[in-house]
Amino acid sequence: MRDDDWLADFMAAEGLPEDFRTTFEWVCRPLADRAGRLRQVRRRTATLGLCGAQGSGKSTIAAATARLLEARGLTAVALSLDDFYLPAGVRQQLAKEIHPLLAVRGPPGTHDVRLAGATLDQLRAKGRVTLPRFDKAADTRAPRGGWTTLATPVDVVIFEGWCVGARAQGLAALATPVNDLEREADPDGRWRTWVNEQLDGPYQELFARLNSLVLLKAPSFEVVAGWRAEQELKLRERTGQGMAEADIGRFVAHYERLTRWILAEMPERADWTVELDAHRRPVGER
C-alpha cells in the first residue's frame, strides 16, 4: 500500500486536518528514516524517545511513524508514558504520605516506572508482551482484557511522553517558585524537590533504555498552556467531559517548571530537535 493510501485512512480515523501531511513529511518520515537506520546499525530493537509538551502532537506523530515503519516491513510500537500513570488510589496515598499535589497525575513520581521499564525490556526480548493502557476518564488502568498483546522482539519502539528523556534540575533552581501553584501549595519546596529526586533517580534508569532522543520543541510554555486549553475544549465538545476553563490554568501549572526546563535544556543534547510554531507546524530543526 502506498503512503497516500494508508495515510488518508489514518488521518480520517484520527480526525486530522489536511495540513498534517506537512507534519508527516517534515517529522514522521525523517523520524522513521532515523529509526530504520538505528535498527539496522544495532541489529536489534531500536528504542527512540519522543519528548513533547502537552498538545504538541507527539502521540499522533508516534502512531503515524510506527504505521509508516510497518508499511516498510518493520515491526513497530508507539508506546506512551501516559499509559503508565499510577492509579488514582495510589496517588492519593502518595498525597497523604508525601505531598497533596501528588494526587494530580503527570509530574515525575506519578508513573509506574518499574512497569514501564519492564515493558520496554520485554519489547526487546523474545516472547510476548502485554501493553498496559490507562483509562484517563476513570483515572485508573483499563481492564487487562483491553490491553494489546504482541509478539516480541519488535524492530522499533517509539516511547513518547511530555517528560521522556528529561533531566533533573540543580537544587538551586528549586528554591524559587515558578508560579502561584508552587508559591501557595508548595511554599517549602517539598513537592518540587521530591519530583526532582524521582526524575534524577528512577526516571533516569528508565530513560537509560533509550537509544535516541527526539524533541518536539514548542515555542514557549505560554503556547503550551493554550494547546492544553484547546484539547479540553475539543474534549468537552466531543464527550461533554473535560476540565472547565477556569481549572485548566491550575492543572497546567503542575507541568510548568519541568516544561520550561525541558525547552531550555534539552535542545542542546537531543539527537534531533524539531521546532514547532504556535500552530504545531514544524518550522525548523537541529
Side-chain angles (χ1 to χ4, degrees):
M1 182 183 293
R2 298 178 307 172
D3 287 354
D4 287 347
D5 294 333
W6 71 259
L7 181 57
D9 292 341
F10 176 85
M11 290 171 59
E14 297 292 326
L16 299 173
E18 187 61 24
D19 62 7
F20 178 75
R21 291 182 182 275
T22 300
T23 299
F24 182 81
E25 294 298 331
W26 276 55
V27 184
C28 301
R29 196 181 295 281
L31 181 57
D33 292 343
R34 287 171 173 267
R37 288 195 299 269
L38 187 57
R39 168 64 180 86
Q40 187 174 31
V41 170
R42 287 178 53 78
R43 297 185 178 181
R44 56 185 182 275
T45 303
T47 304
L48 290 80
L50 180 62
C51 181
Q54 290 184 328
S56 60
K58 57 188 177 297
S59 298
T60 302
I61 287 171
T65 303
R67 180 66 183 83
L68 177 56
L69 287 164
E70 290 171 351
R72 294 177 177 180
L74 296 174
T75 54
V77 173
L79 193 67
S80 176
L81 181 63
D82 286 3
D83 280 320
F84 296 95
Y85 281 132
L86 293 170
V90 179
R91 300 196 318 272
Q92 288 293 344
Q93 191 62 34
L94 288 175
K96 292 178 182 178
E97 296 176 355
I98 300 172
H99 195 284
L101 288 179
L102 290 172
V104 177
R105 65 177 186 245
T110 63
H111 302 91
D112 190 334
V113 177
R114 181 175 297 179
L115 178 60
T119 302
L120 288 176
D121 289 344
Q122 186 56 55
L123 284 164
R124 298 180 300 190
K126 185 175 177 57
R128 298 183 70 81
V129 62
T130 301
L131 303 179
R133 189 171 66 83
F134 193 87
D135 184 341
K136 292 181 179 179
D139 204 5
T140 191
R141 291 197 186 107
R144 290 188 66 91
W147 297 10
T148 301
T149 299
L150 301 173
T152 56
V154 299
D155 293 313
V156 175
V157 178
I158 302 174
F159 186 41
E160 58 90 358
W162 80 277
C163 64
V164 165
R167 288 179 176 172
Q169 290 184 288
L171 293 179
L174 303 178
T176 304
V178 300
N179 54 32
D180 288 343
L181 176 76
E182 291 189 358
R183 277 186 288 273
E184 297 168 4
D186 188 39
D188 60 0
R190 186 161 44 94
W191 170 70
R192 54 188 182 267
T193 298
W194 191 85
V195 168
N196 202 57
E197 289 172 350
Q198 298 306 300
L199 184 58
D200 196 37
Y203 283 73
Q204 293 311 302
E205 295 176 11
L206 174 63
F207 300 153
R209 294 169 168 84
L210 303 177
N211 306 124
S212 184
L213 179 62
V214 176
L215 171 65
L216 301 174
K217 185 177 182 294
S220 68
F221 175 77
E222 286 70 26
V223 169
V224 172
W227 288 347
R228 181 68 199 207
E230 289 177 16
Q231 286 181 315
E232 291 298 324
L233 176 60
K234 291 178 181 177
L235 182 64
R236 290 197 300 272
E237 291 175 346
R238 188 174 69 251
T239 67
Q241 299 178 334
M243 282 184 287
E245 189 171 348
D247 298 327
I248 295 173
R250 181 176 175 84
F251 177 76
V252 173
H254 291 77
Y255 295 77
E256 181 172 356
R257 170 178 293 277
L258 189 51
T259 298
R260 290 187 184 278
W261 172 237
I262 289 170
L263 294 177
E265 182 273 332
M266 191 179 288
E268 297 302 319
R269 61 181 177 84
D271 297 293
W272 186 37
T273 296
V274 179
E275 297 181 357
L276 306 177
D277 68 9
H279 302 286
R280 305 176 185 82
R281 295 175 301 208
V283 294
E285 62 178 316
R286 58 176 172 179

